[in-house]
């Protein structure tokens, strides 16, 4: 179940309350009173066999006695009555039910779901406060107050926070489009509501309070789609709760559950905040100031103390204060007294008249390098605050979204604050809140950029998946959980990760000496034991052994140390590897583990034996490409070292990105891969090389592409075939195809473009081009036909795509072939493959909207079994062609 019938839940035409009563303090009485007290225009029914009338209106004894099936029913009845009522309402034609009742057992919840399923009746709750849609006067809840109409939607797992937000928002005159209490969300969940609200014209921003996510792929797919349309802002509870309690690898210890939620929210292009107050501050900022693209801030203030507080907040939040350039300083010197601050913050002194405000603001807004301007004013007896506001507003209106304000105080600045707010200027009670809001905007913008950044291609070779799987299968067959170091490195080598040559040998002096001679002195010696996880902790690592004598002594010392530290540890032998001399190398850790909610995750950070102490790491969800890998590395402190300093040249970071991409591919290909540590991975100007690696496997599949929270590239749809005497590849589009796709579009005739998008355009905005190439394979597909041109460069010949509704009932298709290749059968080939893909994904029907004069496309559609929809008005100039793939899906 997804978005079906959510319109009946959020904008019903009629409502019935089961368990409505007049018993003081009862839930049924409160829900009935709230529903009646609003301005809901549709019919409202009360159902309770114990009453004949309530508030002068008739009460019905059962659902069967209702004069009509209500769109929405609210159940405030005992738990054992819920499932039978759901079944009865579904049969009547009701399609949305709010289960206000608490205390349902798991069996009773399942019975309610089973009763709803045949009718695709949607269930909100149980144990929820209800739903409010102020624009239609609907208060279908037992909240203590109503909501003001507005354009913010709030969805919460916590009923207590629903009422708190209602109270908080109403006291600040903040309006809501919808407010939904999920309760135990046995059916309707975050993913469903994100999909619905993303296309809700009344909703400008979506606010979420999340405690847990049960359907991660559905959530991520819906969140990514919604975040492309409008701001989605999240408060996630449990930031400082326990993550993984015990983990055998460094990665498992560092990748706690909250860091993974953080990575998921960032990857989806949403914004995470810490408090409810920040939730509304962020929503207001994104509504009024989202168009600001500044990377720095200039503080303008009439009080030095307020400016210092703002500057301190900027330093804490990582906000850059703009350095005034020479031209700006010259203009400010002419406008300000000699004792002004001559720096940022720009202190215009407390005795400033109106002209000083306008002259200063004019100078700042004329200089793009000044960035965004934080306008701070504390009231004085010199000049009225509202006079300052009126004088400054024409400058602000002419500059676009450049100014945010903090009018300090209350009554003395209330009118000035109101003037700014009415003009659309974001205003904050304190300088610190204003700076935090600017920092939130920067974070949001970075998260949005992740969604549209075009990656470069990895240089990784095609992995030897079969070899890696054989290694893992062999370890599992022996009943082992951990691969030996040499086995782990062999898996890395199979995926193109450079590793230090390593030899595994038994505990024999002759074998150890022979291995050292083979790899070459100096060498590193490491213990091999299934009972020792971290070798260096027990003296199981010796480095820089330069000859046979030092190696012989190291063996004796190591055995003695290990026996002392872990008396019962089994010793299987040693590994001998050549010492790597990379004086400029940084030690990095790259790892993978399995999160209990979002599945496989990838970690990167500063490596070495003290990784838990340095705590310099960041986490991301696979799949990764170079852009996503670069973003992951950028969130670590070690990234600054990799950029180079003093006599250390910049590292070849692309090599690190390719290691991360290789690990991402391992997680997709190897379902038994449970944990992985590459630590240390040396990264320097020459590239990357793995010195040590550890892999844990599971007999139960825990990784694999099907367990990713974001569906990875569907390589099973890549096919090489012959067409018109040449070899072509038909494959799903990749984000890396952006430049190639632009070249393809540039070769199209204007008339062909008009036939495809019903208008003539030769240039596509960067954001739209990214949207065409960075698709969500879970609900979209774009198949391109690709060949190699005379210069050996890949080129796109045609593309066919579908976009499905979240229910997979219907998918709209579109197809376009390069103008000079029309008539050669490529369109038929692509559309035929698209039909195959849609059918395999359970799509009910394919639909195309075609211009009536596009006779070539209409003929192709008819040839492949599409029928023309006679309901399409002739005056529209369009034809709707439909092909049913699975009638059972369409009839749901």
């Amino acid at each position: 179940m997804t978005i079906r019938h959510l319109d009946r839940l959020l904008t019903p035409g009629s409502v019935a309350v089961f368990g409505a009563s007049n018993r003081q303090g009862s839930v049924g009485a409160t829900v009935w009173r709230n529903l009646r007290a609003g301005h809901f225009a549709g019919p409202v029914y009360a159902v309770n066999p114990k009453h004949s009338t309530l508030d002068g209106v008739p009460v019905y004894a059962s659902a069967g006695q209702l004069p009509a099936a209500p769109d929405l029913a609210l159940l405030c009845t005992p738990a054992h009555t819920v499932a039978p009522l759901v079944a009865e309402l579904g049969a009547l034609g009701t399609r949305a039910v709010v289960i206000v009742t608490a205390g349902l057992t798991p069996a009773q919840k399942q019975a309610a779901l089973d009763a709803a399923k045949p009718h695709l009746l949607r269930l909100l709750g149980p144990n929820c406060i209800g739903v409010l849609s102020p624009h239609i006067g609907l208060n279908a809840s037992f909240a203590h107050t109503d909501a003001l109409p507005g354009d913010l939607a709030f969805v919460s797992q916590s009923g207590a926070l629903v009422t708190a937000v209602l109270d908080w928002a109403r006291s600040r005159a903040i309006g809501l489009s919808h407010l939904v209490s999920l309760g135990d969300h046995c059916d309707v969940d975050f993913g469903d509501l994100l999909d619905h609200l993303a296309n809700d014209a009344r909703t400008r921003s979506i606010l979420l309070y999340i405690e847990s996510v049960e359907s991660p792929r559905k959530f991520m797919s819906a969140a990514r789609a919604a975040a492309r349309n409008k701001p989605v802002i999240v408060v996630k509870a449990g930031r400082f709760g326990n993550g993984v309690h015990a983990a055998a690898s460094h990665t498992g210890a560092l990748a706690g559950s909250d860091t993974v939620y953080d990575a998921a929210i960032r990857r989806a292009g949403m914004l995470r905040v810490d408090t409810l107050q920040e939730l509304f501050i962020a929503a207001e900022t994104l509504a009024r100031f989202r168009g600001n693209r500044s990377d720095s801030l200039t503080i303008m203030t009439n009080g030095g103390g307020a400016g210092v507080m703002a500057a301190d907040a900027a330093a804490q939040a990582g906000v850059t204060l703009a350095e005034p350039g020479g031209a700006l300083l010259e203009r400010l010197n002419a406008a300000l007294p000699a004792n002004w601050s001559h720096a940022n913050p720009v202190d215009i002194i407390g005795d400033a008249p109106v002209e000083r405000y306008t002259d200063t603001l004019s100078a700042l807004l004329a200089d793009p390098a000044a960035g965004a301007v934080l306008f701070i004013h504390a009231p004085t007896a010199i000049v009225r605050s509202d006079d300052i506001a009126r004088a400054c507003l024409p400058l602000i209106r002419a500059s676009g979204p450049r100014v945010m304000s903090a009018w300090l105080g209350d009554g003395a600045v209330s009118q000035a604050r109101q003037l700014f707010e009415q003009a659309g200027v974001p205003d904050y009670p304190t300088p610190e809140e204003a700076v935090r809001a600017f920092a939130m905007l920067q974070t949001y913008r970075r998260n949005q950029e992740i969604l549209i950044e075009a990656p470069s291609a990895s240089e990784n070779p095609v992995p030897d998946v079969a070899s890696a799987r054989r290694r893992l299968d062999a370890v599992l067959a022996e009943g082992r959980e951990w691969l030996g170091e040499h086995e782990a490195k062999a898996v890395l080598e199979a995926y193109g990760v450079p590793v230090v040559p390593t030899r595994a040998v038994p505990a024999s002096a002759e074998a150890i000496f022979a291995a050292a001679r083979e790899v070459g002195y100096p060498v590193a010696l490491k213990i091999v034991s299934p009972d020792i996880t971290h070798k260096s902790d027990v003296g199981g690592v010796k480095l820089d052994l330069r000859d046979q004598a030092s190696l012989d002594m190291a063996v004796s010392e190591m055995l003695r140390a290990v026996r002392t530290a872990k008396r019962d540890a089994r010793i299987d032998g040693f590994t001998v590897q050549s010492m790597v001399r990379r004086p400029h190398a940084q030690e990095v850790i790259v790892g993978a583990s399995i999160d209990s909610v979002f599945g496989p995750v990838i970690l990167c950070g500063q490596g070495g034996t003290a990784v838990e102490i340095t705590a310099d790491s960041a986490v991301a969800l696979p799949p990764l490409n170079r852009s996503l890998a670069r973003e992951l590395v950028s969130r670590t402190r070690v990234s600054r070292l990799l950029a180079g300093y003093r006599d250390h040249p910049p590292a070849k970071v692309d090599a690190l990105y390719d290691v991360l991409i290789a690990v991402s591919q391992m997680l997709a290909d190897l379902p038994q891969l449970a944990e992985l540590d590459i630590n240390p991975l040396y990264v320097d100007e020459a590239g990357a090389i793995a010195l040590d690696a550890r892999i844990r496997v599971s007999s139960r599949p825990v990784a694999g592409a099907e367990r990713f929270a974001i569906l990875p590239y569907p390589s099973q749809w890549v096919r090489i075939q012959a067409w018109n005497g040449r070899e072509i590849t038909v494959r799903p589009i990749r984000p890396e195809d952006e430049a190639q796709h632009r070249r393809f579009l540039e070769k199209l005739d204007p008339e062909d473009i008009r036939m495809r998008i019903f208008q003539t355009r030769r240039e596509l905005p960067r954001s739209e081009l990214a949207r065409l190439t960075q698709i969500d394979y879970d609900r979209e597909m774009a198949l391109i036909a690709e060949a190699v041109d005379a210069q050996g460069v890949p080129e796109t010949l045609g593309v066919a795509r579908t976009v499905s509704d979240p229910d997979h009932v219907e998918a709209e298709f579109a197809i376009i072939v390069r103008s000079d290749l029309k008539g050669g059968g490529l369109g038929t080939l692509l559309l035929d493959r698209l039909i195959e893909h849609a059918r395999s994904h359970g799509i009910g029907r394919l639909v195309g909207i075609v211009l009536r004069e596009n006779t070539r496309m209409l003929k192709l559609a008819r040839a492949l079994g599409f029928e023309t929809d006679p309901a399409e008005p002739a005056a529209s100039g369009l034809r709707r062609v439909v092909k049913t793939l699975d009638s059972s899906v369409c009839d749901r």
Side-chain angles (χ1 to χ4, degrees):
M1 294 184 181
T2 48
I3 63 169
R4 281 292 191 91
H5 303 315
L6 289 186
D7 56 335
R8 307 281 189 95
L9 174 68
L10 297 178
T11 53
S14 57
V15 184
V17 179
F18 286 73
S21 77
N22 55 9
R23 182 164 56 87
Q24 188 69 24
S26 69
V27 171
T30 306
V31 170
W32 175 251
R33 184 181 67 247
N34 282 349
L35 189 60
R36 293 270 292 167
H39 303 289
F40 182 66
V44 176
Y45 309 116
V47 183
N48 191 329
K50 297 178 180 178
H51 298 279
S52 58
T53 62
L54 274 177
D55 301 328
V57 300
V59 178
Y60 301 92
S62 67
Q65 294 184 13
L66 289 170
D71 280 349
L72 173 65
L74 291 96
L75 305 188
C76 311
T77 60
H80 70 274
T81 68
V82 169
L85 281 173
V86 169
E88 189 176 3
L89 287 163
L92 280 176
T94 297
R95 291 295 175 260
V97 166
V98 177
I99 306 174
V100 181
T101 305
L104 272 70
T105 66
Q108 288 170 329
K109 290 180 194 175
Q110 189 58 51
L113 281 170
D114 293 342
K117 189 173 182 180
H119 314 287
L120 204 71
L121 186 152
R122 307 312 305 274
L123 302 178
L124 180 67
N127 187 26
C128 72
I129 282 180
V131 59
L132 294 90
S133 294
H135 61 278
I136 59 169
L138 178 70
N139 183 350
S141 77
F142 63 90
H144 68 296
T145 187
D146 207 344
L148 298 173
D151 49 19
L152 302 179
F154 181 58
V155 182
S156 172
Q157 276 180 283
S158 165
L161 283 181
V162 168
T163 57
V165 164
L166 264 176
D167 205 45
W168 194 91
R170 191 174 184 89
S171 68
R172 288 159 176 78
I174 295 172
L176 300 169
S177 59
H178 302 284
L179 190 147
V180 183
S181 165
L182 285 178
D184 293 340
H185 52 94
C186 66
D187 170 24
V188 176
D189 62 11
F190 284 114
D192 300 330
L193 289 164
L194 280 167
D195 271 324
H196 182 86
L197 295 170
N199 297 299
D200 178 34
R202 295 184 181 274
T203 298
R204 182 190 63 191
S205 300
I206 303 170
L207 316 181
L208 306 178
Y209 171 80
I210 297 176
E211 292 176 352
S212 62
V213 170
E214 277 74 39
S215 303
R217 180 174 288 182
K218 174 183 170 184
F219 172 79
M220 289 299 294
S221 185
R224 292 168 73 204
R228 287 183 186 272
N229 286 347
K230 57 191 68 172
V232 182
I233 308 164
V234 179
V235 172
K236 166 63 179 71
R239 182 181 282 276
F240 302 107
N242 291 329
V244 179
H245 292 287
S249 69
H250 293 300
T251 300
L254 293 169
S257 59
D258 186 70
T259 61
V260 180
Y261 267 102
D262 216 34
I265 291 167
R266 180 183 299 105
R267 179 71 176 271
M270 302 185 290
L271 173 65
R272 183 177 184 177
V273 297
D274 291 330
T275 66
L276 289 176
Q277 185 177 13
E278 287 186 349
L279 191 72
F280 285 98
I281 289 173
E284 183 73 4
T285 303
L286 291 173
R288 293 174 178 256
F289 210 57
R290 187 165 31 144
N292 183 274
R293 311 296 296 177
S294 302
D295 293 321
S296 60
L297 184 67
T298 294
I299 300 165
M300 171 184 165
T301 177
N302 71 332
V308 171
M309 293 170 69
D312 287 347
Q316 188 174 11
V319 171
T320 301
L321 296 185
E323 280 290 333
L328 177 59
L329 285 172
E330 185 176 343
R331 188 167 174 181
L332 290 174
N333 283 332
L336 296 174
N339 62 333
W340 80 279
S341 59
H342 294 85
N344 185 3
V346 178
D347 183 359
I348 67 173
I349 314 302
D351 64 352
V354 170
E355 292 76 14
R356 198 181 297 169
Y357 281 90
T358 55
D359 289 349
T360 304
L361 189 58
S362 179
L364 294 176
L365 295 178
D367 184 1
V373 177
L374 172 54
F375 179 103
I376 303 174
H377 172 79
T380 71
I382 305 295
V383 62
R384 289 173 56 90
S385 299
D386 51 314
D387 288 343
I388 296 169
R390 289 188 186 92
C392 291
L393 277 175
L395 297 171
I396 294 172
R397 290 192 185 100
S399 69
R402 288 278 304 277
V403 178
M404 51 204 321
S405 63
W407 294 92
L408 307 183
D410 194 1
V413 297
S414 61
Q415 191 174 357
R417 180 181 291 123
Q418 186 178 16
L419 287 168
F420 264 45
E421 289 178 346
Q422 288 172 348
V425 180
D427 181 74
Y428 306 90
T430 67
E432 295 91 340
E433 284 191 21
V435 170
R436 283 203 301 272
F438 185 75
M440 289 178 202
L441 177 63
Q442 290 187 310
T443 300
Y444 173 77
R445 198 167 68 233
R446 284 194 296 268
N447 293 354
Q448 286 284 298
E449 287 168 355
I450 294 171
L451 290 176
I452 66 169
E453 187 171 359
S456 57
S458 166
E459 295 181 2
N460 289 345
V462 176
D464 187 348
V465 181
S467 171
R469 285 177 176 166
R470 283 195 300 271
R471 291 277 183 180
L472 270 57
D473 290 342
V475 170
L476 288 169
E478 294 175 13
R480 288 191 284 137
E481 189 178 27
W482 287 95
L483 276 68
E485 181 186 353
H486 64 291
E487 294 169 319
K489 287 180 176 176
V491 173
L492 296 183
E493 281 188 296
Y495 278 82
V497 177
V499 300
V500 176
T502 303
R503 302 290 181 267
V505 296
S508 153
E510 289 183 5
I512 294 169
F513 298 154
R517 288 192 296 271
E518 184 179 349
V519 301
Y521 287 101
V523 299
L525 181 71
K526 302 177 184 179
I527 202 77
V528 175
S529 169
D531 302 317
I532 298 173
T533 302
H534 300 299
K535 298 180 284 289
S536 58
D537 291 351
V538 295
V541 178
K542 295 286 186 180
L543 304 177
D544 206 22
L545 305 171
R546 297 184 167 276
D547 50 37
Q548 183 169 312
S550 59
L551 179 59
D552 189 28
M553 183 180 298
V555 171
S556 301
E557 291 176 352
M558 185 178 294
L559 288 172
R560 186 163 52 253
V562 169
R563 292 299 185 200
T564 301
K566 295 204 71 167
R567 183 177 301 277
D568 298 327
R570 292 165 290 173
I571 306 298
D572 290 346
F574 298 87
T575 62
V576 180
Q577 66 184 52
S578 59
M579 285 295 298
V580 176
R581 296 297 184 192
R582 306 275 282 262
H584 297 152
Q586 299 296 331
E587 289 189 331
V588 174
I589 180 173
V590 169
S593 64
I594 310 300
D595 181 69
S596 59
V597 176
F598 290 97
V601 298
I602 296 173
L603 175 139
C604 181
Q606 188 162 8
T609 57
V611 289
E612 285 95 350
I613 305 301
T614 58
D616 173 30
S617 62
V619 171
L621 300 184
L624 295 184
N625 53 37
R626 272 197 177 173
S627 288
L628 293 167
R630 179 172 62 251
E631 191 278 330
L632 169 61
V633 174
S634 74
R635 288 185 277 119
T636 65
R637 294 191 300 275
V638 76
S639 64
R640 297 196 288 271
L641 300 176
L642 293 169
Y645 62 96
R646 293 185 179 176
D647 63 337
H648 284 61
K652 186 181 178 183
V653 288
D654 280 353
L656 172 57
Y657 304 155
D658 287 346
V659 171
L660 288 162
I661 293 168
V663 171
S664 174
Q665 191 62 48
M666 287 181 214
L667 287 166
D669 295 340
L670 308 174
Q672 286 78 28
L673 180 57
E675 285 183 60
L676 178 147
D677 268 357
I678 307 173
N679 183 35
L681 177 78
Y682 273 8
V683 184
D684 62 9
E685 70 276 12
I689 186 167
L691 273 63
D692 202 353
R694 305 173 63 254
I695 293 177
R696 184 173 70 85
V697 291
S698 168
S699 57
R700 177 179 61 87
V702 291
E706 65 276 12
R707 293 171 185 84
F708 280 21
I710 300 172
L711 190 67
Y713 186 77
S715 56
Q716 68 272 23
W717 288 96
V718 178
R719 294 182 192 169
I720 299 173
Q721 56 193 93
W723 172 73
N724 280 2
R726 62 192 298 192
E727 186 180 85
I728 66 170
T729 300
V730 178
R731 63 170 176 85
I733 203 164
R734 294 179 182 272
E736 292 87 342
D737 292 326
E738 185 177 307
Q740 180 177 322
H741 201 65
R742 181 183 291 279
R743 291 194 297 271
F744 164 71
L745 295 173
E746 288 170 349
K747 291 182 179 180
L748 296 174
D749 290 340
E751 180 64 9
D752 289 335
I753 295 175
R754 188 181 74 84
M755 290 290 183
R756 166 64 181 83
I757 63 174
F758 310 157
Q759 56 180 295
T760 301
R761 280 197 297 172
R762 296 312 302 253
E763 291 292 332
L764 277 183
R766 171 68 223 298
S767 58
E768 191 169 338
L769 193 61
R771 186 69 190 87
L772 292 173
T773 55
Q774 300 184 32
I775 66 172
D776 181 350
Y777 301 113
D778 205 39
R779 58 178 67 187
E780 303 172 70
M781 177 50 70
L783 294 171
I784 66 170
E786 180 185 69
V788 177
D789 66 14
Q791 287 72 42
V793 177
E795 61 176 351
T796 298
L797 312 179
V799 59
R801 63 177 70 237
T802 56
V803 179
S804 169
D805 64 41
D807 298 300
H808 280 199
V809 172
E810 186 172 288
E812 184 176 339
F813 81 88
I815 184 169
I816 192 164
V817 172
R818 208 172 73 191
S819 301
D820 59 327
L821 299 175
K822 291 189 300 184
L826 186 58
T828 302
L829 185 155
L830 282 170
L831 187 52
D832 201 43
R833 288 287 310 281
L834 207 59
I835 293 168
E836 179 189 354
H837 176 270
R839 185 174 278 121
S840 73
H841 279 66
I843 302 294
R845 59 177 170 261
L846 271 183
V847 174
I849 308 299
V850 186
L851 285 172
R852 286 178 177 268
E853 62 263 36
N854 193 351
T855 55
R856 188 189 296 272
M857 185 67 239
L858 292 171
K859 181 180 179 181
L860 170 59
R862 283 194 299 271
L864 291 177
F866 286 82
E867 297 179 352
T868 302
D869 185 352
E872 184 67 44
S876 70
L878 304 174
R879 302 297 294 269
R880 187 174 188 266
V881 296
V882 182
K883 182 180 179 68
T884 299
L885 305 179
D886 187 339
S887 57
S888 65
V889 175
C890 300
D891 294 338
R892 287 191 310 206

